[in-house]
Amino acid sequence: MTKTNGRIIITTIVIIGLSIFFHFKIPDVKPYEKGDMKVIFIPDDDSPENRKQLITLSAFSGKEGVDIKEVRILYKKAKGEDFKKSVMQRVKDGSIYADYLTGLSKGERWFYYIEAEDTTGNILSIPERIQEGEKQINFYVTFEGTANRILFISHIVLAITAVILWIHSVFYAVNYLITKERHNIRLVFYSVLYGTISFFVFAFPVGGYIAHQVFGQAWSGVPFGWDITDNKSLITFLYYVILIYLMKGEFYGLEVGKGNVISDNNFSYLVILGIILTIAVYNIPHSYFIQ
């Protein structure tokens, strides 16, 4: 293994490792509180289509002589609907309560919040209810279909390939900025180009088909919607397409400097910025839904 290849491999492992850590870090679980009443609840925002979604939580009072009278789920499908109520069942006189929401077709969602009431009449709502006219946030669960396994594996492989190629481009860009050896610019350009091609296939034809299988809709981003997963793919792809256009002279094999819109220096800095943007964008939770 050459020294250069070793550096590329180490850089790749560090960047991907940090990205995975920040994306999948263990959540800090804190109880919802109101006075002496506490509720511990970790929401799950997805479920297989047409399968009941089990909801469990722990609710208790820290005040002697005061108990939990009732815990209930208030849920609805559409924004204009009234909430329906379902009383959760207490498990063996303990602090655990359980209930379920009826399964829905893929792509459909239940929006819900939870109320715990103690024997003195105090009510703790989670998420907290806000004043009328303000934007209310609720818990939600999205029901999903099953993706084709081979396509899903291809989806992951293409994504990893794109990231590795883009990391290579950063390494070559740094090499160019340090040494000013122009052969590095060719390596940067083609790492960006092949990484972007891999990303395009990952995000659009393959990703769109998987989205159709899972959510019933191939594309929910701009201009048809505001889905975060689709839009972060679109933002990342457009950024790298612009980079390729700015250095189009490299694609056509023109003489040094001819056909390019920006200088080699600026291209190198934009490539470094690109990997930072990519990591930042892809640490936004996958399939996150903005209410």
Side-chain angles (χ1 to χ4, degrees):
M1 181 187 294
T2 66
K3 190 174 182 180
T4 297
N5 287 337
R7 287 176 179 175
I8 292 173
I9 291 171
I10 292 171
T11 305
T12 302
I13 292 172
V14 169
I15 293 178
I16 293 177
L18 287 173
S19 181
I20 291 172
F21 171 76
F22 285 119
H23 190 73
F24 295 104
K25 61 182 179 180
I26 299 172
D28 184 16
V29 180
K30 295 181 180 179
Y32 298 90
E33 299 181 76
K34 183 179 180 182
D36 298 306
M37 188 163 37
K38 294 179 175 62
V39 172
I40 299 174
F41 174 57
I42 302 173
D44 185 3
D45 60 12
D46 57 17
S47 180
E49 63 177 325
N50 299 318
R51 192 178 80 177
K52 295 177 180 179
Q53 172 70 356
L54 178 65
I55 295 176
T56 61
L57 56 81
S58 177
F60 53 93
S61 174
K63 188 174 182 179
E64 188 175 351
V66 178
D67 199 1
I68 300 297
K69 177 183 176 183
E70 182 179 273
V71 180
R72 47 192 175 262
I73 303 173
L74 295 102
Y75 63 100
K76 64 179 180 179
K77 283 175 63 176
K79 191 173 182 180
E81 292 180 356
D82 293 328
F83 282 101
K84 302 173 185 177
K85 184 179 82 169
S86 179
V87 177
M88 301 186 75
Q89 299 299 307
R90 191 172 187 174
V91 180
K92 293 186 176 180
D93 295 323
S95 64
I96 303 299
Y97 292 78
D99 201 355
Y100 64 84
L101 295 174
T102 305
L104 298 174
S105 300
K106 63 182 177 182
E108 293 189 299
R109 293 184 178 94
W110 284 119
F111 296 91
Y112 66 98
Y113 67 97
I114 294 166
E115 287 184 343
E117 182 178 358
D118 67 18
T119 49
T120 67
N122 289 322
I123 297 175
L124 168 60
S125 297
I126 57 169
E128 184 180 356
R129 300 290 93 188
I130 48 95
Q131 295 181 358
E132 188 175 349
E134 296 180 3
K135 188 173 182 179
Q136 179 66 61
I137 301 297
N138 297 296
F139 298 120
Y140 68 88
V141 55
T142 305
F143 292 83
E144 302 176 354
T146 303
N148 178 276
R149 184 175 293 274
I150 294 175
L151 270 181
F152 186 69
I153 293 172
S154 301
H155 184 65
I156 294 171
V157 169
L158 286 164
I160 293 172
T161 300
V163 172
I164 290 175
L165 286 166
W166 285 340
I167 290 171
H168 274 69
S169 72
V170 171
F171 177 80
Y172 295 131
V174 171
N175 265 1
Y176 170 76
L177 291 170
I178 293 171
T179 67
K180 299 301 179 182
E181 294 174 355
R182 201 180 184 279
H183 72 275
N184 283 302
I185 290 298
R186 298 287 291 172
L187 294 172
V188 174
F189 177 80
Y190 280 102
S191 294
V192 168
L193 176 64
Y194 295 136
T196 304
I197 291 171
S198 180
F199 185 85
F200 172 80
V201 178
F202 144 78
F204 300 106
V206 175
Y209 191 77
I210 289 174
H212 177 71
Q213 289 181 318
V214 173
F215 301 110
Q217 188 171 354
W219 182 259
S220 302
V222 173
F224 305 115
W226 297 102
D227 179 78
I228 283 186
T229 301
D230 287 344
N231 283 328
K232 69 185 184 180
S233 295
L234 183 62
I235 289 168
T236 305
F237 176 70
L238 289 177
Y239 184 90
Y240 283 101
V241 165
I242 290 170
L243 278 186
I244 293 167
Y245 171 77
L246 293 175
M247 297 294 285
K248 57 185 178 178
E250 303 298 322
F251 181 78
Y252 293 109
L254 301 180
E255 293 180 25
V256 175
K258 287 190 176 181
N260 294 339
V261 180
I262 59 172
S263 68
D264 295 345
N265 264 23
N266 288 337
F267 177 58
S268 298
Y269 287 125
L270 288 174
V271 166
I272 295 169
L273 178 62
I275 200 68
I276 296 171
L277 173 69
T278 302
I279 291 172
V281 166
Y282 270 82
N283 271 289
I284 299 171
H286 196 64
S287 298
Y288 184 72
F289 177 74
I290 295 178
Q291 298 184 50

